[in-house]
Amino acid sequence: MSRKDRDLIDRKIKEEKRFFDTDLLETVESVFDKATISTVLHLMRTKCIKSLKGVISSGKEARVYWGIDYEGRDVAVKIYYTLTSEFKKSMWKYLAGDPRYDEYKGMNWKKLIYMWASKEYRNLVRMHRSGVRVPKPLCIKNNVLVMEFIGENGVRAPLLKEAYEEELLSIEDLENIYRDIMDQIKVMIREAKLVHADLSEYNIMIHMNKPYIIDVSQALPINHPNAQEFLRADITNITRFFEKTGIQVIDPEEFIKELLSSD
């Protein structure tokens, strides 16, 4: 980035600080580079988001912020880190063999992150259109993804693990949620033609007693060379969790056999 570009971004940030909570702006500037700040400002100017509030969650690859759109609705703003390569190695197993992303080879780190964010957006679009219960994707620019907010009044819905540990779910709730998740997996495979590839109690949110599948950046096509291996891991994770809650579960191998034979 040239000095002229950096000066322009600095000026834009100063001009548009009113869109950010003061403390939040300082936090964002300390974690993300100026190109990311410029991207957020672009999404504001194009009326995808009106303002950015506090952090909803943080992970090894991104932070999710609470935002407000121009109709006053809550949105989730997922910003992928561009200043760290902590999860770089783990990305390769999800990109290698996926014909949609052959161009990743030789990319610099920032472009790779932009593509990874775009991959999540495209997977969300594909799943949402196919009837999988995921946050509705709204817009994407570089490493910033804006989507439907799952929760209320800026408070995100609990993860499945949290809802269970906090005893927010009855046995009947757990049974219904388990069946619902298994149905969602069927829709994901049969209609969206995608495997989540990292499904567990940590990336399913519970809102109004219904499961929402999140974090789909690593999802890959069912014709991927490692698709069955990832699918088996997904089913095993879900079975293990619900078996622990004491409800009756389907044999994972039988479920996979049925799922694949009817595909």
Side-chain angles (χ1 to χ4, degrees):
M1 185 184 295
S2 68
R3 179 177 294 277
K4 183 178 179 181
D5 289 336
R6 286 197 298 270
D7 290 343
L8 177 61
I9 291 171
D10 283 338
R11 187 164 64 252
K12 288 178 179 178
I13 291 172
K14 289 177 182 177
E15 290 173 354
E16 304 196 40
K17 279 188 177 182
R18 65 187 183 278
F19 289 109
F20 295 86
D21 292 344
T22 303
D23 292 342
L24 176 62
L25 180 63
E26 292 176 358
T27 300
V28 172
E29 285 185 306
S30 69
V31 175
F32 300 104
D33 60 12
K34 290 182 178 179
T36 297
I37 302 299
S38 180
T39 297
V40 172
L41 295 177
H42 170 85
L43 292 171
M44 289 176 171
R45 287 192 298 276
T46 55
K47 297 191 181 299
C48 177
I49 53 176
K50 184 175 183 179
S51 62
L52 198 61
K53 304 294 184 181
V55 176
I56 300 169
S57 62
S58 295
K60 66 178 183 294
E61 61 184 38
R63 278 187 178 176
V64 182
Y65 291 83
W66 167 34
I68 306 293
D69 70 9
Y70 274 81
E71 294 184 18
R73 297 173 300 192
D74 291 344
V75 292
V77 183
K78 186 170 186 176
I79 305 181
Y80 280 89
Y81 303 124
T82 58
L83 301 180
T84 176
S85 59
E86 182 180 346
F87 74 105
K88 187 174 183 179
K89 291 181 181 179
S90 66
M91 294 170 65
W92 302 125
K93 63 181 178 180
Y94 300 111
L95 291 171
D98 188 336
R100 299 176 300 168
Y101 300 99
D102 284 340
E103 71 272 23
Y104 80 88
K105 296 175 182 177
M107 276 188 179
N108 65 42
W109 173 240
K110 184 170 288 188
K111 286 185 178 179
L112 188 62
I113 290 299
Y114 290 176
M115 190 186 71
W116 190 251
S118 174
K119 184 173 185 280
E120 176 151 35
Y121 178 81
R122 291 173 64 181
N123 285 339
L124 282 171
V125 168
R126 191 162 163 177
M127 289 181 185
H128 189 265
R129 287 177 177 172
S130 300
V132 183
R133 194 180 298 110
V134 295
K136 181 180 179 180
L138 301 175
C139 50
I140 178 78
K141 177 70 174 177
N142 297 335
N143 59 315
V144 182
L145 166 62
V146 183
M147 54 193 155
E148 176 188 7
F149 187 94
I150 308 301
E152 295 180 3
N153 302 317
V155 179
R156 69 165 176 82
L159 301 177
L160 174 58
K161 176 180 172 60
E162 295 168 339
Y164 173 67
E165 290 181 346
E166 294 169 17
E167 299 183 348
L168 303 178
L169 304 171
S170 66
I171 289 296
E172 184 179 359
D173 291 334
L174 288 165
E175 289 173 343
N176 291 335
I177 289 169
Y178 169 67
R179 287 194 294 269
D180 197 333
I181 291 171
M182 300 307 274
D183 287 342
Q184 294 295 307
I185 293 173
K186 288 180 182 178
V187 176
M188 201 183 304
I189 296 296
R190 295 173 179 171
E191 304 300 328
K193 306 295 184 183
L194 291 170
V195 177
H196 186 282
D198 192 29
L199 194 60
S200 74
E201 65 271 27
Y202 293 94
N203 43 38
I204 297 172
M205 301 180 86
I206 305 299
H207 184 52
M208 306 294 287
N209 272 11
K210 291 187 179 295
Y212 284 76
I213 294 172
I214 61 171
D215 294 340
V216 302
S217 55
Q218 72 293 319
L220 39 82
I222 57 174
N223 60 357
H224 187 281
N226 299 321
Q228 287 195 31
E229 176 187 344
F230 286 124
L231 175 61
R232 180 165 280 101
D234 285 352
I235 304 302
T236 300
N237 286 339
I238 297 302
T239 302
R240 171 194 48 75
F241 173 80
F242 281 99
E243 197 170 34
K244 181 181 67 176
T245 71
I247 70 169
Q248 186 173 357
V249 298
I250 304 168
D251 178 84
E253 289 301 324
E254 287 298 318
F255 180 81
I256 293 169
K257 182 179 179 181
E258 176 193 352
L259 188 59
L260 296 179
S261 63
S262 59
D263 180 44

